[in-house]
Amino acid sequence: MRQKEEQCVVTFRTTAGAMAMEKACKAAGLPGRLIPVPRTITAGCGMCWAAPPSARDALEELVMERRLQVDGIYAILL
Amino acid sequence: MRKTALTEKEDELMIVVNALGEQCPIPVVKATRALREMREPGTLEILVDNETAVQNLLRMASGHHLAATVEQRGEKEYAVTVEVTAPVGDTPMEEPELCCVPDSGLVVAVDTDAMGRGSEELGKTLMKGFLFAVGQLPVPPRTMLFYNGGARLTVEGSDSLEDLKKLEEQGVEILTCGTCLNYYGLTEKLAVGAVTNMYTIVEKLAGAGKVVKP
């Protein structure tokens, strides 16, 4: 069975927002990746940014600095 | 293990292994034991009741470079016949990995790096989501084929490598079209799975239980 790991998940109001996050993180060299929003967070559709929990502070900083339209930040097992 | 020397027609030895009701990896263990005990050429027939065992037995046979055929004899009865052209003795198998996960029969054919039509940028984002979600399936695909623009997903720099490597670890066969890698100048950059050709692609598609194309 696949081992689940805790991940820091950042969700957005729009798909474009998630894509902007990907661009900003890659430019800033921050870890993480786009994945479909896990069902445990919402039944809706959309993409989110998933990163190791250790990156949470750096991600929050980036979000504030770039004024990215974040919906929520979660710590979940993926 | 019930082993019966049934016939000696044309001086050929026939061994039958009854592995009905046995779960992975027992059928392969029994078959391997019987195969090793065969000191002369002949036929080894293994009776099993599930598709997973059939796949594993076929894998075992090909690991020994022996031809094997499958005959379905009932709703839950399959006979795998291995032509033992030469005794294998104690030679180790080339591919000893067994896959005890049920075979979904699913083949995922990825012919583009952007999922769906419309925005190219959105399509690439959707494809990343698709490949991640494939990795979350309870029973993974049997094979994933990457051709044309899909070949960009299995090479260095692809955002989906992590997902594809995990799928490969789960036993999913990942194959990328060699013609396509060559066309895009990516042959040296393949980072997951193996290179394949059109014959294999056609065989994989033709032998699939179902094919999914993102």
Side-chain angles (χ1 to χ4, degrees), chain B residues 5 26 37 166 187:
Chain B
I26 304 302
E37 280 171 14
K166 272 192 194 153
T187 308

Side-chain angles (χ1 to χ4, degrees), chain B residues 38 42 49 69-70 73 82 93 98 136 172 185:
Chain B
M38 288 176 79
D49 61 8
T69 51
V70 187
R73 291 185 178 166
V82 184
M93 274 170 69
L98 290 183
Q136 309 287 306
V172 178

Side-chain angles (χ1 to χ4, degrees), chain A residues 1-5 15 18-19 22-23 26 33-36 38 47 50 78, chain B residues 119 121-122 125-126 128-130 132-133 135-136 157 159-160 162-163 166 170:
Chain A
M1 198 53 204
R2 221 165 28 87
Q3 205 62 39
K4 294 202 171 198
E5 288 167 15
T15 303
M19 287 157 78
E22 182 186 37
K23 210 172 275 180
K26 279 192 173 174
R33 47 180 314 209
L34 280 182
I35 63 166
M47 301 291 289
L78 276 182
Chain B
S119 155
E121 188 190 22
L122 176 63
T125 299
L126 295 179
K128 286 177 208 172
F130 174 82
F132 174 83
Q136 309 287 306
D159 286 330
S160 295
E162 193 189 322
D163 294 331
K166 272 192 194 153
Q170 285 179 57

Side-chain angles (χ1 to χ4, degrees), chain B residues 12-68:
Chain B
E12 210 178 70
L13 177 70
M14 169 129 178
I15 303 283
V16 178
V17 173
N18 184 352
L20 293 169
E22 306 281 12
Q23 291 305 308
C24 179
I26 304 302
V28 171
V29 171
K30 284 186 167 182
T32 305
R33 205 177 299 158
L35 186 61
R36 291 204 191 291
E37 280 171 14
M38 288 176 79
R39 297 287 166 217
E40 51 183 300
T43 307
L44 174 65
E45 184 180 275
I46 309 108
L47 304 175
V48 292
D49 61 8
N50 65 86
E51 184 73 29
T52 306
V54 170
Q55 295 301 329
N56 282 330
L57 289 167
L58 293 178
R59 230 170 268 150
M60 178 207 77
S62 85
H64 283 292
H65 304 288
L66 298 172

